[in-house]
Amino acid sequence: MEIVNEHREFSTQGSGDLIDITRDLIAALAKSHLKKGNMTVFVQGSTAGITTFEYEPGLIGDVQEFYERLVPSDRSYHHDETWGDANGFSHLRATLTGQSLTVPFEAGKLLLGTWQQVVLAEFDNRPRKRLVVIQMIGK
């Protein structure tokens, strides 16, 4: 077994920004020359997440609306009182989504469904630079 780490940085536009990072993951796997194993994708930070969904305009809008209904950005949270940064909603959305995802691969290809993309979800209330760590374990 071999372990290969890659890092990618993404600039986000702030809360609601959903970025398809699938091509970056495919490129990292190709560069590794690994054929079979698991890829873990992890975003550093407590106000962003990694998820999968069909990356198309309708669903992008649905996902943005889903988070707004589930954890509204226009109310006050205890975190806001502690730090005064008004991003309590961002932390809660990231907690629900999670910061990592594991995708298996075989024959040098990610085993994603036809309409399944890996997405970096930005929840913070301001633009950010996000570091995504890609760790591949395999042979």
Side-chain angles (χ1 to χ4, degrees):
M1 286 291 182
E2 188 176 344
I3 300 173
V4 178
N5 288 334
E6 289 281 334
H7 300 99
R8 298 284 194 280
E9 188 174 87
F10 297 91
S11 295
T12 71
Q13 301 302 309
S15 186
D17 199 6
L18 301 168
I19 302 170
D20 180 0
I21 63 171
T22 309
R23 288 184 188 180
D24 294 90
L25 304 180
I26 291 168
L29 181 56
K31 182 180 171 186
S32 77
H33 301 290
L34 295 174
K35 298 300 177 199
K36 184 177 183 179
N38 286 308
M39 173 186 283
T40 299
V41 183
F42 174 81
V43 61
Q44 289 184 339
S46 61
T47 56
I50 299 288
T51 190
T52 66
F53 61 82
E54 182 179 348
Y55 194 82
E56 57 85 15
L59 195 53
I60 291 168
D62 290 338
V63 169
Q64 291 166 331
E65 290 172 10
F66 168 77
Y67 281 117
E68 188 59 36
R69 279 193 308 273
L70 196 61
V71 185
S73 60
D74 62 354
R75 62 162 283 214
S76 180
Y77 295 90
H78 298 292
H79 174 79
D80 302 336
E81 296 167 17
T82 302
W83 297 107
D85 52 7
N87 73 347
F89 74 95
S90 308
H91 289 277
L92 293 173
R93 291 177 185 183
T95 297
L96 290 171
T97 304
Q99 284 73 37
S100 68
L101 174 75
T102 301
V103 181
F105 58 89
E106 287 181 354
K109 297 188 186 296
L110 294 173
L111 296 179
L112 294 168
T114 302
W115 306 111
Q116 185 178 27
Q117 286 79 44
V118 179
V119 178
L120 167 62
E122 179 62 71
F123 300 118
D124 211 340
N125 58 0
R126 62 187 176 95
R128 301 291 302 258
K129 288 199 183 292
R130 294 296 184 179
L131 183 67
V132 173
V133 178
I134 306 162
Q135 184 175 76
M136 296 155 280
I137 301 173
K139 56 182 181 173

